[in-house]
Short mmCIF file of all heavy atoms in Angstrom, two decimals:
data_model
loop_
_atom_site.label_atom_id
_atom_site.label_comp_id
_atom_site.label_asym_id
_atom_site.label_seq_id
_atom_site.Cartn_x
_atom_site.Cartn_y
_atom_site.Cartn_z
N PRO A 1 -20.78 -11.04 -22.56
CA PRO A 1 -20.32 -9.80 -22.88
C PRO A 1 -21.40 -8.76 -22.93
O PRO A 1 -21.01 -7.54 -22.47
CB PRO A 1 -19.70 -9.91 -24.31
CG PRO A 1 -19.31 -11.44 -24.40
CD PRO A 1 -20.46 -12.12 -23.66
N LEU A 2 -22.51 -8.95 -23.37
CA LEU A 2 -23.63 -7.89 -23.41
C LEU A 2 -23.97 -7.51 -21.92
O LEU A 2 -24.61 -6.46 -21.69
CB LEU A 2 -24.67 -8.45 -24.21
CG LEU A 2 -24.44 -8.62 -25.68
CD1 LEU A 2 -25.72 -9.22 -26.31
CD2 LEU A 2 -24.11 -7.24 -26.30
N ARG A 3 -23.86 -8.53 -20.96
CA ARG A 3 -24.19 -8.08 -19.65
C ARG A 3 -23.08 -7.59 -18.71
O ARG A 3 -23.34 -7.35 -17.55
CB ARG A 3 -24.88 -9.42 -19.02
CG ARG A 3 -26.13 -9.88 -19.55
CD ARG A 3 -26.42 -11.35 -19.19
NE ARG A 3 -26.42 -11.39 -17.67
CZ ARG A 3 -26.36 -12.50 -17.08
NH1 ARG A 3 -26.24 -13.70 -17.78
NH2 ARG A 3 -26.41 -12.64 -15.77
N THR A 4 -22.03 -7.48 -19.26
CA THR A 4 -20.86 -7.04 -18.51
C THR A 4 -21.01 -5.64 -17.91
O THR A 4 -21.48 -4.80 -18.67
CB THR A 4 -19.42 -7.24 -19.35
OG1 THR A 4 -18.43 -6.80 -18.49
CG2 THR A 4 -19.41 -6.17 -20.51
N GLN A 5 -20.59 -5.49 -16.69
CA GLN A 5 -20.67 -4.22 -16.05
C GLN A 5 -19.31 -3.73 -15.63
O GLN A 5 -19.14 -2.77 -14.90
CB GLN A 5 -21.52 -4.23 -14.82
CG GLN A 5 -23.08 -4.61 -15.26
CD GLN A 5 -23.91 -4.70 -13.97
OE1 GLN A 5 -23.57 -4.25 -12.87
NE2 GLN A 5 -25.07 -5.17 -14.10
N MET A 6 -18.25 -4.48 -15.99
CA MET A 6 -16.95 -4.17 -15.61
C MET A 6 -16.19 -3.96 -16.98
O MET A 6 -16.03 -4.84 -17.65
CB MET A 6 -16.23 -5.31 -14.85
CG MET A 6 -14.84 -4.88 -14.41
SD MET A 6 -13.73 -6.12 -13.46
CE MET A 6 -14.61 -5.96 -11.88
N THR A 7 -15.83 -2.67 -17.25
CA THR A 7 -15.10 -2.39 -18.47
C THR A 7 -13.58 -2.85 -18.35
O THR A 7 -13.13 -3.08 -17.25
CB THR A 7 -15.07 -0.84 -18.72
OG1 THR A 7 -14.46 -0.21 -17.74
CG2 THR A 7 -16.50 -0.41 -18.75
N LEU A 8 -12.89 -2.81 -19.28
CA LEU A 8 -11.44 -3.16 -19.42
C LEU A 8 -10.77 -2.24 -18.59
O LEU A 8 -9.80 -2.53 -17.74
CB LEU A 8 -10.92 -3.13 -20.88
CG LEU A 8 -9.47 -3.27 -21.03
CD1 LEU A 8 -9.03 -4.76 -20.45
CD2 LEU A 8 -8.90 -3.11 -22.41
N LEU A 9 -11.16 -0.93 -18.50
CA LEU A 9 -10.40 -0.03 -17.60
C LEU A 9 -10.79 -0.24 -16.19
O LEU A 9 -9.76 -0.11 -15.46
CB LEU A 9 -11.00 1.50 -17.95
CG LEU A 9 -10.43 2.55 -17.20
CD1 LEU A 9 -8.93 2.66 -17.55
CD2 LEU A 9 -11.08 3.86 -17.66
N ASP A 10 -11.91 -0.71 -15.89
CA ASP A 10 -12.16 -1.09 -14.56
C ASP A 10 -11.34 -2.23 -14.13
O ASP A 10 -10.74 -2.19 -13.01
CB ASP A 10 -13.70 -1.48 -14.26
CG ASP A 10 -14.66 -0.40 -14.52
OD1 ASP A 10 -14.21 0.76 -14.20
OD2 ASP A 10 -15.78 -0.61 -14.96
N ARG A 11 -11.20 -3.31 -14.82
CA ARG A 11 -10.32 -4.41 -14.56
C ARG A 11 -8.89 -4.02 -14.31
O ARG A 11 -8.17 -4.42 -13.38
CB ARG A 11 -10.48 -5.41 -15.68
CG ARG A 11 -11.81 -6.07 -15.75
CD ARG A 11 -11.78 -7.36 -16.56
NE ARG A 11 -11.43 -7.15 -17.96
CZ ARG A 11 -12.30 -6.95 -18.88
NH1 ARG A 11 -13.60 -6.82 -18.66
NH2 ARG A 11 -11.79 -6.90 -20.16
N GLN A 12 -8.29 -3.11 -15.25
CA GLN A 12 -6.92 -2.69 -15.16
C GLN A 12 -6.84 -1.84 -13.94
O GLN A 12 -5.84 -2.11 -13.22
CB GLN A 12 -6.56 -1.81 -16.30
CG GLN A 12 -6.58 -2.67 -17.78
CD GLN A 12 -6.36 -1.68 -18.86
OE1 GLN A 12 -6.57 -0.54 -18.84
NE2 GLN A 12 -5.70 -2.22 -19.95
N SER A 13 -7.89 -1.13 -13.48
CA SER A 13 -7.72 -0.31 -12.29
C SER A 13 -7.70 -1.21 -11.07
O SER A 13 -6.97 -0.90 -10.11
CB SER A 13 -8.96 0.60 -12.16
OG SER A 13 -8.85 1.36 -10.89
N SER A 14 -8.51 -2.27 -11.01
CA SER A 14 -8.50 -3.18 -10.05
C SER A 14 -7.18 -3.87 -9.83
O SER A 14 -6.75 -4.06 -8.64
CB SER A 14 -9.66 -4.30 -10.27
OG SER A 14 -10.92 -3.71 -10.17
N ILE A 15 -6.64 -4.34 -10.88
CA ILE A 15 -5.28 -4.96 -10.81
C ILE A 15 -4.20 -3.97 -10.43
O ILE A 15 -3.53 -4.33 -9.51
CB ILE A 15 -4.90 -5.55 -12.35
CG1 ILE A 15 -5.94 -6.66 -12.71
CG2 ILE A 15 -3.50 -6.06 -12.23
CD1 ILE A 15 -5.87 -7.07 -14.12
N ALA A 16 -4.28 -2.81 -10.83
CA ALA A 16 -3.27 -1.78 -10.45
C ALA A 16 -3.40 -1.50 -8.95
O ALA A 16 -2.42 -1.41 -8.23
CB ALA A 16 -3.48 -0.48 -11.26
N THR A 17 -4.69 -1.48 -8.50
CA THR A 17 -4.80 -1.12 -7.13
C THR A 17 -4.28 -2.25 -6.19
O THR A 17 -3.64 -2.02 -5.15
CB THR A 17 -6.39 -0.92 -6.76
OG1 THR A 17 -6.86 0.04 -7.53
CG2 THR A 17 -6.59 -0.81 -5.37
N TYR A 18 -4.52 -3.45 -6.71
CA TYR A 18 -3.96 -4.67 -5.85
C TYR A 18 -2.41 -4.53 -5.84
O TYR A 18 -1.72 -4.77 -4.79
CB TYR A 18 -4.33 -5.92 -6.33
CG TYR A 18 -3.78 -7.12 -5.74
CD1 TYR A 18 -4.24 -7.75 -4.55
CD2 TYR A 18 -2.64 -7.77 -6.38
CE1 TYR A 18 -3.83 -8.77 -3.97
CE2 TYR A 18 -2.18 -8.86 -5.62
CZ TYR A 18 -2.69 -9.31 -4.44
OH TYR A 18 -2.10 -10.46 -3.81
N MET A 19 -1.75 -4.29 -7.06
CA MET A 19 -0.40 -4.41 -7.11
C MET A 19 0.28 -3.14 -6.51
O MET A 19 1.47 -3.20 -6.07
CB MET A 19 -0.05 -4.41 -8.62
CG MET A 19 -0.38 -5.68 -9.40
SD MET A 19 0.37 -7.12 -8.71
CE MET A 19 2.06 -6.86 -9.33
N THR A 20 -0.44 -2.12 -6.28
CA THR A 20 0.28 -0.86 -5.70
C THR A 20 -0.16 -0.70 -4.36
O THR A 20 0.15 0.38 -3.68
CB THR A 20 0.04 0.32 -6.59
OG1 THR A 20 -1.41 0.53 -6.69
CG2 THR A 20 0.55 0.14 -7.97
N SER A 21 -0.91 -1.49 -3.79
CA SER A 21 -1.48 -1.38 -2.41
C SER A 21 -0.21 -1.41 -1.35
O SER A 21 0.71 -1.95 -1.73
CB SER A 21 -2.51 -2.20 -1.96
OG SER A 21 -2.02 -3.56 -2.17
N THR A 22 -0.42 -0.82 -0.15
CA THR A 22 0.61 -0.72 0.78
C THR A 22 0.93 -2.12 1.43
O THR A 22 -0.03 -2.62 2.00
CB THR A 22 0.40 0.31 1.71
OG1 THR A 22 0.26 1.53 1.12
CG2 THR A 22 1.68 0.44 2.76
N ALA A 23 2.11 -2.60 1.49
CA ALA A 23 2.52 -3.81 2.09
C ALA A 23 2.96 -3.53 3.44
O ALA A 23 2.71 -4.30 4.53
CB ALA A 23 3.57 -4.49 1.37
N LEU A 24 3.71 -2.42 3.69
CA LEU A 24 4.33 -2.09 4.95
C LEU A 24 4.19 -0.54 5.26
O LEU A 24 4.55 0.20 4.37
CB LEU A 24 5.82 -2.54 5.15
CG LEU A 24 6.37 -2.14 6.36
CD1 LEU A 24 6.00 -2.67 7.63
CD2 LEU A 24 8.01 -2.37 6.08
N GLU A 25 3.93 -0.25 6.44
CA GLU A 25 3.89 1.23 6.74
C GLU A 25 4.40 1.37 8.20
O GLU A 25 3.91 0.74 9.16
CB GLU A 25 2.35 1.84 6.62
CG GLU A 25 2.49 3.40 6.83
CD GLU A 25 1.09 3.99 6.33
OE1 GLU A 25 0.19 3.26 6.19
OE2 GLU A 25 1.10 5.13 6.17
N CYS A 26 5.29 2.37 8.41
CA CYS A 26 5.76 2.73 9.65
C CYS A 26 5.51 4.15 10.05
O CYS A 26 5.90 4.87 9.05
CB CYS A 26 7.40 2.41 9.75
SG CYS A 26 7.75 0.68 9.49
N LYS A 27 4.96 4.49 11.15
CA LYS A 27 4.62 5.81 11.34
C LYS A 27 5.31 6.17 12.69
O LYS A 27 5.09 5.67 13.74
CB LYS A 27 3.16 5.96 11.44
CG LYS A 27 2.38 5.55 10.34
CD LYS A 27 0.85 5.60 10.47
CE LYS A 27 -0.01 5.03 9.40
NZ LYS A 27 -1.28 5.03 9.70
N GLU A 28 6.20 7.31 12.55
CA GLU A 28 6.79 7.92 13.75
C GLU A 28 7.47 6.87 14.74
O GLU A 28 7.29 7.05 15.88
CB GLU A 28 5.75 8.78 14.49
CG GLU A 28 5.25 9.99 13.66
CD GLU A 28 6.45 10.92 13.43
OE1 GLU A 28 7.25 11.10 14.22
OE2 GLU A 28 6.40 11.57 12.20
N LEU A 29 8.22 5.86 14.14
CA LEU A 29 8.84 4.91 15.11
C LEU A 29 9.91 5.53 15.74
O LEU A 29 10.62 6.35 15.34
CB LEU A 29 9.34 3.74 14.20
CG LEU A 29 8.38 2.62 13.78
CD1 LEU A 29 9.12 1.49 13.13
CD2 LEU A 29 7.42 2.06 14.85
N ALA A 30 10.03 5.07 17.04
CA ALA A 30 11.15 5.53 17.88
C ALA A 30 11.58 4.45 18.86
O ALA A 30 10.66 3.65 19.30
CB ALA A 30 10.67 6.79 18.71
N LYS A 31 12.88 4.49 19.01
CA LYS A 31 13.52 3.41 19.94
C LYS A 31 14.84 3.94 20.48
O LYS A 31 15.77 4.34 19.80
CB LYS A 31 13.86 2.04 19.10
CG LYS A 31 14.36 0.96 19.96
CD LYS A 31 13.41 0.52 21.06
CE LYS A 31 14.04 -0.54 21.75
NZ LYS A 31 13.00 -1.09 22.86
N ASN A 32 14.84 3.97 21.89
CA ASN A 32 15.95 4.35 22.64
C ASN A 32 16.65 3.20 23.28
O ASN A 32 15.88 2.28 23.71
CB ASN A 32 15.64 5.46 23.60
CG ASN A 32 15.18 6.75 22.93
OD1 ASN A 32 15.40 6.91 21.82
ND2 ASN A 32 14.40 7.56 23.80
N PHE A 33 17.95 3.21 23.44
CA PHE A 33 18.69 2.28 24.26
C PHE A 33 19.48 3.01 25.19
O PHE A 33 20.46 3.72 24.95
CB PHE A 33 19.60 1.48 23.39
CG PHE A 33 18.82 0.44 22.36
CD1 PHE A 33 18.81 0.79 20.94
CD2 PHE A 33 18.31 -0.68 22.90
CE1 PHE A 33 18.09 -0.02 20.07
CE2 PHE A 33 17.64 -1.54 21.95
CZ PHE A 33 17.47 -1.16 20.67
N GLY A 34 19.16 2.85 26.51
CA GLY A 34 19.95 3.68 27.44
C GLY A 34 19.76 5.07 27.41
O GLY A 34 20.74 5.85 27.68
N GLY A 35 18.63 5.55 26.89
CA GLY A 35 18.47 7.03 26.79
C GLY A 35 19.07 7.54 25.52
O GLY A 35 18.88 8.73 25.16
N VAL A 36 19.63 6.61 24.66
CA VAL A 36 20.22 7.16 23.44
C VAL A 36 19.39 6.73 22.26
O VAL A 36 19.07 5.49 22.14
CB VAL A 36 21.77 6.43 23.07
CG1 VAL A 36 22.20 6.84 21.77
CG2 VAL A 36 22.66 6.87 24.43
N PRO A 37 18.96 7.69 21.43
CA PRO A 37 18.09 7.24 20.47
C PRO A 37 18.65 6.55 19.19
O PRO A 37 19.81 6.93 18.74
CB PRO A 37 17.46 8.64 19.96
CG PRO A 37 18.56 9.64 20.23
CD PRO A 37 19.20 9.06 21.60
N ALA A 38 18.18 5.35 18.97
CA ALA A 38 18.56 4.52 17.75
C ALA A 38 17.70 4.81 16.54
O ALA A 38 18.17 4.83 15.47
CB ALA A 38 18.63 3.16 18.17
N VAL A 39 16.47 4.91 16.74
CA VAL A 39 15.55 5.30 15.70
C VAL A 39 14.70 6.38 16.31
O VAL A 39 14.25 6.36 17.42
CB VAL A 39 14.67 4.17 15.30
CG1 VAL A 39 13.54 4.45 14.40
CG2 VAL A 39 15.48 3.08 14.63
N SER A 40 14.47 7.47 15.40
CA SER A 40 13.68 8.55 15.95
C SER A 40 12.79 9.22 14.85
O SER A 40 13.15 9.76 13.85
CB SER A 40 14.78 9.70 16.47
OG SER A 40 14.07 10.77 16.84
N GLY A 41 11.44 9.09 15.18
CA GLY A 41 10.57 9.66 14.11
C GLY A 41 10.64 9.08 12.80
O GLY A 41 10.52 9.72 11.80
N LEU A 42 10.80 7.79 12.62
CA LEU A 42 10.96 7.09 11.37
C LEU A 42 9.67 6.80 10.61
O LEU A 42 8.79 6.21 11.27
CB LEU A 42 11.75 5.72 11.53
CG LEU A 42 12.11 4.99 10.23
CD1 LEU A 42 13.46 4.37 10.31
CD2 LEU A 42 11.09 3.91 9.84
N ASN A 43 9.49 7.38 9.41
CA ASN A 43 8.33 7.01 8.57
C ASN A 43 8.70 6.30 7.35
O ASN A 43 9.67 6.73 6.68
CB ASN A 43 7.66 8.35 8.37
CG ASN A 43 7.08 9.06 9.56
OD1 ASN A 43 5.98 8.62 10.13
ND2 ASN A 43 7.74 10.02 9.97
N LEU A 44 7.97 5.35 7.02
CA LEU A 44 8.37 4.49 5.85
C LEU A 44 7.11 3.86 5.22
O LEU A 44 6.26 3.42 5.97
CB LEU A 44 9.28 3.39 6.32
CG LEU A 44 10.16 2.84 5.25
CD1 LEU A 44 11.11 3.80 4.61
CD2 LEU A 44 11.07 1.63 5.96
N SER A 45 6.86 3.80 3.93
CA SER A 45 5.80 3.18 3.33
C SER A 45 6.36 2.37 2.08
O SER A 45 6.96 3.04 1.32
CB SER A 45 4.72 4.25 2.89
OG SER A 45 3.65 3.58 2.32
N ILE A 46 5.91 1.18 1.91
CA ILE A 46 6.34 0.34 0.89
C ILE A 46 5.25 -0.34 0.12
O ILE A 46 4.41 -0.96 0.89
CB ILE A 46 7.31 -0.87 1.35
CG1 ILE A 46 8.47 -0.19 2.22
CG2 ILE A 46 7.99 -1.50 0.18
CD1 ILE A 46 9.34 -1.14 2.88
N ALA A 47 5.21 -0.26 -1.13
CA ALA A 47 4.15 -0.80 -1.85
C ALA A 47 4.27 -2.34 -2.12
O ALA A 47 5.40 -2.87 -1.98
CB ALA A 47 4.00 -0.16 -3.26
#
């Protein structure tokens, strides 16, 4: 304990960062079928 360099706050922050990091991100997705847009400029981010 006397040599510790990671405070409780640091540990909580590390855990929170892991739990809230991004699992999936879609940027400006587009897909057309026969010239008809099915998906257009789709943006999505999921933790």
Side-chain angles (χ1 to χ4, degrees):
L2 293 177
R3 294 166 52 196
T4 184
Q5 296 179 16
M6 179 180 285
T7 65
L8 177 60
L9 182 60
D10 292 330
R11 292 197 295 273
Q12 291 173 335
S13 177
S14 297
I15 295 167
T17 299
Y18 177 83
M19 294 298 289
T20 59
S21 57
T22 302
L24 169 71
E25 190 169 11
C26 300
K27 304 174 185 176
E28 294 297 323
L29 280 189
K31 180 66 179 178
N32 295 340
F33 293 102
V36 178
V39 172
S40 179
L42 185 141
N43 293 287
L44 205 58
S45 181
I46 309 173

